[in-house]
Amino acid sequence: MLGIELTPEHPVAELVDLAALAEAEGFDAVFASHHYNNRDVFAALTAMARATEEVSLGPGVVNPYETHPVALASRMATLEEVSDGRGIFGVGAGDRSTLANLGYERERPLRRVLETVRADLEGHTIEVE
């Protein structure tokens, strides 16, 4: 898989253009980074989904500390719908210093990630690459 990560610190219109260009250049996946000080990653991904047809799209990556796993599952389900099944779910424990800036204690990170995956994938078939 050949993928690229875009940063929503740039205007969504620019990200949409870059996603379309990545698809035209043969990339298989476009990820948008998730940071509290950037534009909303799922809003940006939804706009990218509307401007592309084949490239897979997803957050690179979200964490279960600042966004509840059920909310992440809902957002991914919406991305799956608007992208006609091209969503890729990127989840991780989160950067310790970023979480500290938000006032979160990064406790039991593996457990949090596994619980998030369980909540997000309930009722869905997953493909592991």
Side-chain angles (χ1 to χ4, degrees):
M1 174 187 295
L2 180 61
I4 187 170
E5 184 176 27
L6 304 176
T7 308
E9 66 186 354
H10 304 289
V12 172
E14 287 181 29
L15 299 174
V16 167
D17 290 343
L18 290 171
L21 179 59
E23 182 176 66
E25 292 296 324
F27 282 85
D28 301 307
V30 174
F31 298 94
S33 58
H34 175 76
H35 294 285
Y36 68 91
N37 56 342
N38 290 336
R39 288 158 182 78
D40 182 83
V41 66
F42 286 100
L45 288 165
T46 297
M48 289 182 232
R50 291 186 176 132
T52 58
E53 296 179 8
E54 296 178 10
V55 70
S56 296
L57 300 157
V61 302
V62 293
N63 73 70
Y65 291 94
E66 62 181 292
T67 307
H68 192 278
V70 172
L72 292 174
S74 174
R75 291 172 184 164
M76 274 308 300
T78 303
L79 180 60
E80 271 285 290
E81 181 181 321
V82 299
S83 70
D84 295 323
R86 295 180 287 134
I88 299 177
F89 185 52
V91 61
D95 176 89
R96 187 179 305 276
S97 63
T98 298
L99 292 174
N101 287 340
L102 295 172
Y104 292 106
E105 184 178 331
R106 189 175 181 255
E107 62 181 47
R108 305 184 76 159
L110 180 57
R111 182 179 184 154
R112 289 263 184 136
V113 170
L114 293 175
E115 289 171 351
T116 301
V117 170
R118 191 173 309 121
D120 206 349
L121 299 176
E122 197 165 293
H124 298 284
T125 303
I126 65 167
E127 191 175 306
V128 178
E129 295 186 21

